[in-house]
Amino acid sequence: SNFERDCVQIVKTRAEIDELLKLSNLIDLVIPRGSNALVRHITDNTRIPVLGHADGICSVYVDKDADLSKAMALVLDSKTQYPAVCNAAENLIIHRDCLTTMLPSLGRALAEADVHMFADTDCLDHLPKCHASPMNVDDFSTEYLDNRITVVAVPSLDDAIDLINSKGSHHTDMIVTESKESANRFLTSVDSAGVFHNASTRFADGYRYGFGAEVGVSTTRTHSRGPVGMEGLLIYKYHLVGDGHTVAPFVSRQAQFTHKDLDK
């Protein structure tokens, strides 16, 4: 191996981590993997760039033009396939036109999977009483990481988008709909690292994207975003090979830039 023996080290205490976070002259990037409290502590206590996310508050929006069978499969998979991960759904948003046509079936399916629902007043009466209770004001911004979910109704697609953008964590959000127009609006307007149409939020994973081993998930808007593999850690470096070229002839217009792709 060409690696130095000490290139991989283990730190075991918060004090040791805090010392590492001071080494901005030696460390290029921190990728925290752990609890919400750990990620926030690291982000708040270093000048080193941090790649990661504190919360995975993912939402599934069931549109008025959704197919019920697809909606049931997608909601269940997003919530129950593995609830304790950052790409599991924590919120179910449903169009008000679907309160009587789709929500009762979705509620029964979630109840049968032993999921407890915290619902707003519009939704509560359409859910199994033994598995539903009134939501609190902060429930929509809660990462449960278990068999609990928040259920709310909205009057329009735009209201769903606004709710996700203002209360979500910009991780992964999904629309269930057969309307291409609604899907395209959702895909372009929701400001999250992953925005899906008729596909489970659980697909938000570096391995499932074909990146190999996932080193982290980023909800930032610069450099890498979403699940990050080895390629996502790399940045540009420019090589310029000339033969005495100077800028002056280009400024005086004696020479011109062509901006053409070069053969590799």
Side-chain angles (χ1 to χ4, degrees):
S1 172
N2 294 323
F3 293 108
E4 294 289 337
R5 179 174 180 175
D6 295 331
C7 69
V8 177
Q9 300 185 36
I10 297 175
V11 292
K12 297 181 179 180
T13 67
R14 182 65 62 88
E16 290 175 330
I17 293 174
D18 288 345
E19 287 301 310
L20 281 175
L21 296 179
K22 297 175 183 177
L23 303 178
S24 57
N25 61 320
L26 298 175
I27 299 174
D28 294 320
L29 181 67
V30 177
I31 307 174
R33 300 302 299 262
S35 68
N36 180 298
L38 174 68
V39 175
R40 290 193 182 279
H41 176 81
I42 289 174
T43 303
D44 294 341
N45 289 278
T46 188
R47 294 191 302 169
I48 304 170
V50 177
L51 186 153
H53 68 285
D55 298 303
I57 303 171
C58 304
S59 297
V60 175
Y61 168 59
V62 178
D63 186 49
K64 63 183 179 64
D65 295 313
D67 177 88
L68 178 56
S69 61
K70 286 183 186 178
M72 291 179 66
L74 291 168
V75 169
L76 284 174
D77 191 79
S78 296
K79 177 69 255 185
T80 66
Q81 195 276 327
Y82 190 8
V85 285
C86 61
N87 59 13
E90 306 291 15
N91 299 312
L92 171 59
I93 308 170
I94 190 161
H95 195 285
R96 281 182 184 162
D97 288 356
C98 305
L99 284 175
T100 59
T101 57
M102 295 192 190
L103 186 56
S105 297
L106 291 170
R108 285 192 297 272
L110 286 168
E112 289 172 2
D114 199 28
V115 176
H116 191 84
M117 293 158 272
F118 298 98
D120 66 9
T121 53
D122 287 332
C123 297
L124 196 57
D125 289 340
H126 304 284
L127 298 172
K129 288 182 170 49
C130 59
H131 279 81
S133 57
M135 67 177 288
N136 296 314
V137 65
D138 295 328
D139 284 347
F140 194 88
S141 298
T142 299
E143 186 178 26
Y144 297 113
L145 298 176
D146 58 22
N147 274 11
R148 292 177 290 169
I149 194 169
T150 301
V151 184
V152 299
V154 293
S156 70
L157 169 63
D158 286 341
D159 286 289
I161 292 170
D162 289 343
L163 183 59
I164 291 169
N165 285 340
S166 62
K167 299 292 186 181
S169 64
H170 310 289
H171 188 298
T172 303
D173 301 287
M174 184 248 292
I175 183 173
V176 185
T177 188
E178 298 302 299
S179 167
K180 290 184 178 179
E181 181 180 353
S182 296
N184 287 336
R185 180 165 180 77
F186 188 89
L187 292 171
T188 56
S189 300
V190 170
D191 182 23
S192 294
V195 189
F196 297 173
H197 172 212
N198 288 350
S200 171
T201 60
R202 290 281 290 118
F203 280 110
D205 175 83
Y207 175 78
R208 290 167 185 157
Y209 282 6
F211 297 160
E214 180 184 287
V215 296
V217 177
S218 173
T219 55
T220 62
R221 296 173 178 82
T222 58
H223 190 41
S224 295
R225 198 177 192 201
V228 179
M230 183 58 67
E231 185 176 347
L233 296 179
L234 306 179
I235 191 60
Y236 305 110
K237 178 180 179 181
Y238 296 98
H239 289 182
L240 186 59
V241 179
D243 187 21
H245 288 77
T246 60
V247 168
F250 293 89
V251 175
S252 64
R253 298 182 182 274
Q254 295 175 5
Q256 292 184 333
F257 294 104
T258 60
H259 294 136
K260 293 180 179 179
D261 291 336
L262 301 176
D263 294 332
K264 295 183 179 180

